[in-house]
Amino acid sequence: MAGAIIENMSTRKLCIVGGILLVFQVIAFLVGGLIAPSPTTAVPYMSVKCIDVRKNHHKTKWLMPWGPNHCKKLKDFDEAVSRQIEANDIVFAVHIPLPSKEMSPWFQFMLFIMQLDIAFKMDNDLKENAEVTLDVSLAYRDDMFDDWEEIAHAIEIRKLKCTFGSPKTVESEGRHYDCDFLPFMEIGSVAHKYYLINIRLPVNDRKGINVGIGEIKDIRLVGIHQNGGFTKVWFAMKTFLTPSILIIMVWYWRRITLMTRAPVLLEKVIFALGISMTFINIPVEWFSIGFDWTWMLLFGDIRQGIFYAMLLSFWIIFCGEHMMDQNERNRLSGYWKQVGPIAVGSFCLFVFDMCERGVQLKNPFYSIWTTEVGTELAMAFIIVAGICLCLYFLFLCFMVFQVFRNISGKQSSLPAMSKARRLHYEGLIFRFKFLMLITLACAAMTVIFFIVSQVTEGHWKWGDVTIQVNSAFFTGIYGMWNLYVFALMFLYAPSHKNYGEDQSNGDLGVNSGEELQLTTTITHVDGPTEVYKLARKEAQE
């Protein structure tokens, strides 16, 4: 009777825990879908053509497109020709943001792409594989009457990839090429209210600079920044989840250190996964509101990379530790073949990120994709990382297959085992299948919501209710992996409860005062895990 009561309580406890996690998961999606706005906003900017003929007579080298001290403007290049203004004396000016608006640190980052309006002319055709040279400068100020302070200046080269849909005849003159967008600038903080971009297209016939690039009519920019409302919701989630994971992590490690044995490999890996999740959760982004920390994008990439590397490593070690007859368990060195590709792939992606966003800390106009050497280097790192990822999944699939084959063999021989040994293996089988189901569900949800966020318009409207799909994807998936780590530490924490001789040890056939340890790496007595207590009924049926 007492055993049946404990079994019912364990099953009920498992259902309660699962229900609570499901409720928090739904809340995570609803927070992004109903409360947060869309994650980013794209703002188009049209550059203004300013005249800078007598540069040394200007009080400042910065040319404003509008405002009380705006520059002398050109309507078009025909006016420049009629006034005998050379191309080197024309500056394309863009003020960020648009008039009567201000930028905010809540925007977190700014990403700009460029589009050139190039017209076809018979005597100034666009050459194949043409390159445009840009002399670009970026400045900021926090008051409309302050002087501009320079942030960066660089001379950049961009390859033009354009097509012309009509025959190149006299009748087609004036029609525009269809050109791809060009990467222009990325900056990892928005610490100031106003920004100014000045772009020059220097021409040098002798050196072949900006020769054969067609007739550039206008320069358009599209600025993308994070929405302030989404940033506040994101920060709030991080602030809430950080203590939640910290508390369960401290509780989990305390349960382990109270054991009479040393922590086993799987327990250490789960704890390391909790540390990496906490590393992502810690809301250091709050400091970016008051400090100009341009390295936050790079820091965020590093944090995510550490977590994903730990997650992939955990899956490998989890499968390996469930190979119940394997002699190489509980040693990290036994997994070097499987963990090696993870380390190599992570290192390649880290080097790639340093070559891109690391350089952008000094030069926000830099892009590794703008040169042949940079493109080949970037592709090499990405291809190596892709190969490592494929090798990893091959190893993982092979190990999952081995575990299920091992499970099938054990299930056929379970009836002939002693009760204690049968319960041990049935507990392992149930726990493995349970976690595999959760893992597949999390991976499927991540992929499904990513695809939905890419193919939809960004929001769904049901009557008066608008659901932001992209925001729901970010908050929901972020909350889901936090719950995944939370569930791991809860289910795999060793128990110190003594069920007594009649309720536990008598049923299992072990000595009085001892409990069967249901970890994957040891079979002697030292206290069952939470998953054993929750799954007692399933393991005994």
Side-chain angles (χ1 to χ4, degrees), residues 468-497:
Q468 295 292 339
V469 179
N470 293 337
S471 297
F473 167 76
F474 283 110
T475 59
I477 299 303
Y478 174 60
M480 181 186 68
W481 286 115
N482 271 275
L483 293 175
Y484 180 82
V485 174
F486 184 96
L488 276 177
M489 288 188 284
F490 176 78
L491 295 175
Y492 278 77
S495 174
H496 299 276
K497 291 183 180 180

Side-chain angles (χ1 to χ4, degrees), residues 234-292:
W234 190 253
F235 285 9
M237 282 196 68
K238 281 177 166 282
T239 305
F240 170 76
L241 290 172
T242 298
S244 304
I245 297 297
L246 270 175
I247 291 171
I248 188 69
M249 193 168 64
V250 171
W251 172 83
Y252 171 79
W253 193 248
R254 182 178 177 274
R255 299 290 287 265
I256 292 175
T257 54
L258 289 176
M259 306 297 287
T260 58
R261 57 170 174 81
V264 295
L265 178 61
L266 186 59
E267 293 169 340
K268 294 178 181 177
V269 173
I270 292 175
F271 185 69
L273 185 62
I275 293 176
S276 64
M277 189 78 255
T278 304
F279 190 42
I280 287 183
N281 287 341
I282 295 176
V284 295
E285 290 86 353
W286 281 111
F287 292 100
S288 66
I289 304 301
F291 298 94
D292 188 9

Side-chain angles (χ1 to χ4, degrees), residues 69-83:
N69 297 319
H70 66 81
C71 65
K72 295 182 178 179
K73 304 176 184 178
L74 285 173
K75 292 183 180 180
D76 50 40
F77 284 95
D78 292 335
E79 180 184 353
V81 173
S82 63
R83 296 173 56 181

Side-chain angles (χ1 to χ4, degrees), residues 263-524:
V264 295
L265 178 61
L266 186 59
E267 293 169 340
K268 294 178 181 177
V269 173
I270 292 175
F271 185 69
L273 185 62
I275 293 176
S276 64
M277 189 78 255
T278 304
F279 190 42
I280 287 183
N281 287 341
I282 295 176
V284 295
E285 290 86 353
W286 281 111
F287 292 100
S288 66
I289 304 301
F291 298 94
D292 188 9
W293 286 357
T294 57
W295 44 268
M296 286 302 299
L297 288 177
L298 178 62
F299 183 61
D301 289 345
I302 294 174
R303 291 196 294 179
Q304 291 186 37
I306 292 174
F307 171 72
Y308 289 131
M310 280 306 309
L311 183 65
L312 297 178
S313 301
F314 163 74
W315 287 342
I316 283 288
I317 295 173
F318 174 78
C319 291
E321 296 297 284
H322 279 79
M323 294 181 187
M324 290 162 276
D325 294 329
Q326 183 177 319
N327 297 323
E328 297 296 324
R329 294 179 301 178
N330 204 28
R331 292 194 302 114
L332 185 60
S333 58
Y335 297 96
W336 69 270
K337 291 181 181 179
Q338 296 87 353
V339 178
I342 301 175
V344 174
S346 301
F347 177 75
C348 289
L349 293 178
F350 171 74
V351 173
F352 167 74
D353 213 30
M354 289 299 296
C355 292
E356 176 81 0
R357 285 184 167 165
V359 177
Q360 287 175 349
L361 296 178
K362 291 293 184 182
N363 178 14
F365 303 105
Y366 174 80
S367 175
I368 195 173
W369 302 100
T370 57
T371 63
E372 292 184 4
V373 175
T375 301
E376 293 176 357
L377 183 64
M379 288 302 299
F381 283 126
I382 293 175
I383 290 172
V384 172
I387 292 174
C388 291
L389 185 63
C390 292
L391 289 175
Y392 165 81
F393 277 108
L394 289 175
F395 280 127
L396 183 61
C397 292
F398 177 70
M399 294 183 73
V400 171
F401 169 76
Q402 282 187 313
V403 173
F404 276 105
R405 186 178 63 178
N406 201 344
I407 286 175
S408 299
K410 290 298 177 186
Q411 283 179 322
S412 62
S413 59
L414 284 178
M417 293 183 178
S418 64
K419 193 169 186 179
R421 190 169 181 81
R422 176 171 59 84
L423 288 173
H424 170 69
Y425 279 115
E426 286 180 340
L428 294 180
I429 291 169
F430 173 79
R431 181 170 57 179
F432 177 80
K433 290 183 176 180
F434 181 76
L435 188 59
M436 284 299 295
L437 180 64
I438 294 178
T439 301
L440 290 175
C442 290
M445 290 286 285
T446 303
V447 174
I448 290 171
F449 269 86
F450 176 76
I451 294 174
V452 169
S453 66
Q454 296 299 309
V455 300
T456 61
E457 296 180 355
H459 63 273
W460 292 340
K461 194 170 182 64
W462 291 341
D464 296 333
V465 179
T466 300
I467 298 178
Q468 295 292 339
V469 179
N470 293 337
S471 297
F473 167 76
F474 283 110
T475 59
I477 299 303
Y478 174 60
M480 181 186 68
W481 286 115
N482 271 275
L483 293 175
Y484 180 82
V485 174
F486 184 96
L488 276 177
M489 288 188 284
F490 176 78
L491 295 175
Y492 278 77
S495 174
H496 299 276
K497 291 183 180 180
N498 192 336
Y499 292 99
E501 185 174 354
D502 295 333
Q503 294 181 3
S504 178
N505 300 336
D507 292 342
L508 299 178
V510 295
N511 295 331
S512 177
E514 295 178 339
E515 296 175 337
L516 178 64
Q517 169 65 25
L518 194 57
T519 64
T520 59
T521 53
I522 57 177
T523 56
H524 66 271

Side-chain angles (χ1 to χ4, degrees), residues 92-245:
F92 296 85
V94 177
H95 186 278
I96 304 164
L98 297 173
S100 72
K101 295 181 181 295
E102 292 182 359
M103 302 300 286
S104 168
W106 293 101
F107 294 164
Q108 291 294 287
F109 69 88
M110 290 191 297
L111 172 67
F112 283 85
I113 55 178
M114 171 189 286
Q115 185 175 35
L116 300 178
D117 292 342
I118 304 177
F120 169 72
K121 288 194 70 174
M122 293 292 295
D123 58 350
N124 188 14
D125 192 12
L126 180 65
K127 293 182 179 179
E128 188 176 356
N129 298 322
E131 295 181 342
V132 59
T133 300
L134 306 171
D135 183 348
V136 290
S137 300
L138 175 68
Y140 76 89
R141 67 182 180 186
D142 292 308
D143 188 275
M144 290 298 294
F145 301 99
D146 289 345
D147 294 331
W148 291 101
E149 298 289 338
E150 183 178 284
I151 297 177
H153 172 263
I155 296 179
E156 295 291 327
I157 297 176
R158 300 288 189 265
K159 287 186 176 181
L160 298 177
K161 296 181 180 180
C162 303
T163 58
F164 194 67
S166 303
K168 292 186 177 182
T169 59
V170 177
E171 290 76 13
S172 299
E173 283 195 346
R175 295 184 180 178
H176 285 199
Y177 286 87
D178 184 13
C179 297
D180 293 346
F181 283 97
L182 302 174
F184 181 68
M185 183 185 73
E186 184 175 28
I187 187 168
S189 69
V190 190
H192 306 286
K193 295 181 179 180
Y194 309 105
Y195 293 86
L196 179 64
I197 299 174
N198 281 180
I199 306 172
R200 290 175 167 83
L201 301 177
V203 177
N204 191 317
D205 294 330
R206 183 173 58 85
K207 295 182 178 179
I209 298 176
N210 286 333
V211 176
I213 59 173
E215 187 174 288
I216 297 179
K217 293 291 188 179
D218 283 301
I219 295 180
R220 304 172 187 267
L221 299 179
V222 177
I224 302 171
H225 62 78
Q226 189 165 295
N227 275 329
F230 178 83
T231 302
K232 294 175 182 178
V233 172
W234 190 253
F235 285 9
M237 282 196 68
K238 281 177 166 282
T239 305
F240 170 76
L241 290 172
T242 298
S244 304
I245 297 297

